[in-house]
């Protein structure tokens, strides 16, 4: 066999070898299909932009669909519109969604430069305004904890923005004007686990969402930034707290509570009263993030002095849901989609129109007076 080759033959062999190496390297680096692998508790689900949180909270139980649909990844995703209170879109890293610091500083300065509307009449001296809401819809989605994973959560009861689903973002909520709350300026989304009695859905007869302040000095309260989201409560908590204060369902109305149900977890109400649950969110913000890995760490409660802690120095409205269910004397067989009554938790996704929220906070909360749903004294 003749092992000697001509220069032309050597150039052909070299070219073939380089082509083989390039092809092999390209196959090795080809990305996997998004959504093809099973979802992980510490990675984003179908994450495609800064609006998507990259971590699921440990306190939120979920049921992963047996065959979740594989989300299609667009070749050139559209860039989200810039919110009015931010000079640049928020950035996401490790579950933290960071806002533009200079834009937030400018928004804060502009807010406190507003001249409050003079107080008229004789309003109650309580820093508060509210919106009244009705149930909108149910689904097994959670755009805060499990963004873009359709059907990935236990069932939730939603009110406020009618469009809320697994794919909701701040921009999509702002774009949808349909709401079940009595203020068209409030395009926010609110939800809690669905309640059942003996397997049948029990919807609230009404929900009032209060925005107030529990701080000693409410005058420095400022609006949430557009797109802020948070949760309170723990879906995995199935038992009462050691101090027996974990179950906060109570009876509202004439006659009040007249006993306890069979397993002692719910009150029995007079026929003229209803079962009510109040859920309150923290009212101190870190001033830097729209969300955090557990959807709680960017928020905190006021400290023992009645002021915000240094770690979360920005006072924001204290959101509180007061949920009235049409149950009174018969309170046996009640469960939540997340489990027992002790697993009650709530989610809030802010999409208020900036001017409307700013006016209510400046006129009502900062002046320490009670306003109605329209923001009037």
């Amino acid at each position: 066999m003749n092992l000697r080759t001509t220069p032309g033959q050597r150039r052909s062999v070299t070219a073939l070898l380089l082509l083989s190496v390039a092809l092999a390297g390209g196959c090795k680096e080809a990305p996997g299909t998004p959504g093809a692998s099973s979802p992980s508790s510490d990675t984003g689900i179908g994450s495609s932009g800064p609006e998507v949180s990259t971590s699921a909270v440990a306190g939120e139980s979920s049921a992963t669909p047996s065959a979740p649909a594989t989300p299609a990844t667009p070749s050139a995703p559209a860039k989200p519109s810039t919110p009015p209170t931010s000079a640049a879109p928020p950035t996401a890293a490790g579950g933290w969604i960071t806002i533009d610091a200079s834009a937030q500083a400018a928004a804060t300065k502009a807010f406190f430069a507003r001249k409050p509307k003079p107080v008229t009449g004789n309003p109650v001296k309580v820093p508060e305004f509210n919106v009244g809401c009705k149930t909108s819809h149910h689904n097994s989605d959670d755009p805060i904890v499990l963004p873009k994973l359709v059907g990935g959560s236990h069932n939730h009861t939603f009110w406020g923005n009618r469009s809320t689903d697994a794919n909701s973002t701040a921009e999509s909520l702002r774009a949808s004007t349909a709401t079940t709350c009595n203020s068209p300026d409030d395009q926010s989304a609110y939800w809690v686990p669905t309640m059942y009695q003996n397997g049948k859905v029990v919807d609230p007869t009404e929900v009032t969402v209060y925005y107030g302040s529990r701080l000693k000095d409410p005058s420095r309260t400022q609006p949430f930034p557009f797109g802020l989201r948070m949760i309170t409560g723990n879906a995995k908590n199935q038992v009462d707290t050691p101090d027996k204060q974990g179950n906060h369902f109570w009876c509202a109305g004439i006659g009040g509570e007249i006993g306890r149900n069979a397993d002692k977890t719910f009150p029995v109400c007079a026929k003229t009263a209803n079962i009510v649950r109040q859920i309150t969110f923290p009212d101190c913000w870190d001033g830097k993030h729209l969300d955090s890995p557990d959807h709680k760490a960017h928020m905190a409660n006021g400290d023992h002095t009645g002021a915000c802690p240094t770690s979360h120095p920005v006072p924001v409205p204290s959101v509180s849901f007061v949920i009235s269910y049409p149950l009174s004397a018969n309170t046996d067989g009640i469960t939540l989609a997340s489990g027992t009554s002790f697993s009650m938790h709530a989610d809030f996704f802010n999409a208020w129109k900036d001017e409307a929220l700013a006016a209510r906070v400046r006129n009502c909360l900062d002046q320490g007076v009670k306003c109605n749903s329209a923001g009037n004294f």
Side-chain angles (χ1 to χ4, degrees):
M1 180 180 296
N2 184 7
L3 297 179
R4 301 181 65 182
T5 59
T6 68
Q9 290 172 322
R10 287 196 295 273
R11 283 195 296 270
S12 297
V13 171
T14 301
L16 286 171
L17 287 172
L18 289 173
L19 178 61
S20 299
V21 170
L23 288 173
C27 292
K28 185 179 295 184
E29 295 173 6
T33 303
S37 60
S38 59
S40 165
S41 63
D42 59 357
T43 58
I45 305 298
S47 178
S48 63
E51 273 298 322
V52 179
S53 174
T54 58
S55 172
V57 63
E60 179 83 18
S61 60
S62 64
T64 303
S66 56
T70 300
T73 303
S75 57
K79 186 178 292 184
S81 58
T82 302
T85 55
S86 176
T91 58
W96 294 94
I97 300 182
T98 305
I99 62 171
D100 182 86
S102 60
Q104 180 59 35
T108 298
K109 182 178 180 180
F111 172 75
F112 285 112
R114 297 176 65 106
K115 186 176 181 180
K117 184 171 68 173
V119 177
T120 58
N122 188 28
V124 176
K125 301 296 184 182
V126 173
E128 179 185 287
F129 63 92
N130 66 75
V131 290
C133 308
K134 298 288 187 182
T135 298
S136 169
H137 60 284
H138 308 85
N139 61 43
S140 296
D141 294 350
D142 192 322
I144 293 179
V145 176
L146 296 169
K148 302 201 175 194
L149 187 61
V150 177
S153 173
H154 50 250
N155 198 262
H156 286 110
T157 296
F158 294 82
W159 60 87
N161 199 302
R162 288 186 178 274
S163 72
T164 315
D165 61 19
N167 295 304
S168 292
T169 63
E171 285 76 18
S172 73
L173 294 175
R174 178 64 65 82
S176 175
T177 58
T179 178
T180 62
C181 297
N182 62 0
S183 173
D185 294 322
D186 181 13
Q187 295 162 265
S188 303
Y190 311 92
W191 62 97
V192 295
T194 297
M195 177 182 281
Y196 301 94
Q197 186 173 35
N198 300 318
K200 183 179 179 181
V201 172
V202 180
D203 276 335
T205 51
E206 61 180 348
V207 180
T208 303
V209 180
Y210 290 96
Y211 290 81
S213 176
R214 295 172 292 141
L215 302 176
K216 187 175 181 179
D217 177 12
S219 66
R220 300 305 294 174
T221 304
Q222 64 186 67
F224 310 106
F226 171 62
L228 183 134
R229 64 216 73 176
M230 57 180 164
I231 68 173
T232 187
N234 187 344
K236 290 189 174 182
N237 185 34
Q238 302 295 323
V239 297
D240 202 352
T241 54
D243 60 5
K244 304 300 180 184
Q245 297 300 308
N247 184 356
H248 299 287
F249 284 89
W250 48 284
C251 299
I254 299 172
E257 180 177 333
I258 59 174
R260 304 296 293 181
N261 69 345
D263 63 7
K264 308 299 183 184
T265 58
F266 277 88
V268 174
C269 307
K271 292 182 179 180
T272 49
N274 285 334
I275 287 285
V276 171
R277 183 65 156 85
Q278 182 168 4
I279 309 170
T280 303
F281 291 80
D283 50 0
C284 296
W285 175 48
D286 69 3
K288 301 175 182 178
H289 301 97
L290 296 178
D291 201 0
S292 51
D294 65 355
H295 317 291
K296 296 180 178 181
H298 59 307
M299 305 298 299
N301 289 305
D303 61 22
H304 67 283
T305 69
C308 284
T310 56
S311 59
H312 296 74
V314 182
V316 291
S318 172
V319 181
S320 183
F321 302 167
V322 177
I323 313 168
S324 178
Y325 293 95
L327 298 170
S328 54
N330 180 13
T331 54
D332 287 333
I334 299 176
T335 58
L336 300 176
S338 51
T340 71
S341 62
F342 306 111
S343 68
M344 177 57 93
H345 55 285
D347 299 60
F348 167 63
F349 202 142
N350 175 47
W352 272 88
K353 292 179 180 177
D354 296 315
E355 173 60 27
L357 180 59
R360 285 165 169 79
V361 174
R362 194 72 173 126
N363 297 335
C364 310
L365 304 192
D366 288 359
Q367 296 192 99
V369 296
K370 184 179 178 67
C371 293
N372 59 21
S373 296
N376 298 320
F377 304 126

